[in-house]
Amino acid sequence: MNPKFWLATMFLMSRIGVLDANSRCHVTESSIGGMYLRGHVFKVHRDELPEECFFLCEEEVTCQSYNVVIGQNICELNNRTKEARPEDFIPDQRRFYMKRSRNRVPLGSIKELPAESCNEIVSSEGEQVADGKYWIYSEENSEVIEASCEESWQKINGEEPVCFGAKDNQYGSFNMTKSGRVKTMKLIHKSGSVRCNNVTISSYWGCTWTPYKDNLMTIITDANKKAILPPAEDLKAFKTPGHFDNKEHFYSLPGYHHNSIELVFRNLVNPLSVSSNQEMQIWYGQDWIDRGEEDNSGKTCVDVYAWYE
Ligand SMILES: *[C@@H]1O[C@H](CO)[C@@H](O)[C@H](O)[C@H]1NC(C)=O
Ligand SMILES: *[C@@H]1O[C@H](CO)[C@@H](O)[C@H](O)[C@H]1NC(C)=O
Ligand SMILES: *[C@@H]1O[C@H](CO)[C@@H](O)[C@H](O)[C@H]1NC(C)=O
């Protein structure tokens, strides 16, 4: 008798044991009948016993799970799990789904298995996934880059922070490194601060002159100076007729103030489509509208993070 066959049979029995009695044997994965993962098949094996699919999956470094077409002896090897792509896990009475239970390589941890985004890695591997470098696609299914992921956030700038001043078009600029749809972004303060006159104290993100209260003035724009985060409709002005500040250039972000270590913007209602080398800018509100900036000073330096859908 083929030892592999016996192992496979034992294996299936242990799984059935889990399904029926859910007690005696502690295996980490069990098959899910009547369901399969759609759209992530990278290899199909025909004329195989369903038990063989287990071993065929283990032979491929990128195999994350597999579908078995019942009664047709077909194994479909997937390069994703249902956790990574819950939207593609759908019913099919002719199939069952099985996650790889041994030696599964975490998504994005090797170049051969790039993830779509940092966010997909968290979906696939769970919230406790370590921060660090992961392989992701910078273009849909083509270029691969090594990205710094912190939870679902991708750090966009490299070692050097991005700095913006408070006057004379001293905006900071950075280039996106991945195409896709950005849900929101955040800035983490690294050093420096800005002032909007020579009397009131400095702020990381805004102006401490009393009328501004806790409103902030750090705006992420595209290369054409169009406000992206916060979006233009969230920006406010003082509406003093004829005064310099009657043009929208500041905003309130509940929970954040002048010296918050990080600024996490709200999710965009319509995620922003970006290309992989697209330039983006960070502006100080008064510098952005070219008004009231004469007595401004200082510079704030930040790390920039994006959350892709
Ligand atoms: C994953 O599978 C899809 C097809 O389902 C394929 O287009 C893609 O290239 C595969 N990726 C890898 C890294 O094998
Ligand atoms: C962004 O990319 C452009 C051209 O691709 C380059 O000239 C510029 O220096 C880049 N900017 C940064 C901040 O890396
Ligand atoms: C402060 O700024 C005003 C202009 O807004 C200027 O007239 C004044 O000389 C400045 N004072 C100092 C100490 O720099």
Side-chain angles (χ1 to χ4, degrees), residues 39-42 62 79 112-114 137 141:
H40 304 283
V41 177
F42 68 95
T62 60
N79 59 24
E112 295 72 35
L113 187 64
Y137 287 112
N141 287 337

Side-chain angles (χ1 to χ4, degrees), residues 95-111:
R95 286 179 163 89
F96 71 82
Y97 167 89
M98 179 81 191
K99 185 176 176 180
R100 180 172 181 168
S101 57
R102 287 197 310 202
N103 303 327
R104 187 181 62 82
V105 160
L107 184 61
S109 65
I110 57 170
K111 201 175 181 184

Side-chain angles (χ1 to χ4, degrees), residues 137-156:
Y137 287 112
S138 64
E139 299 286 349
E140 201 165 325
N141 287 337
S142 57
E143 298 289 298
V144 173
I145 56 168
E146 207 175 10
S148 267
C149 296
E150 293 180 22
E151 295 168 352
S152 290
W153 297 97
Q154 182 191 342
K155 188 179 177 204
I156 304 300

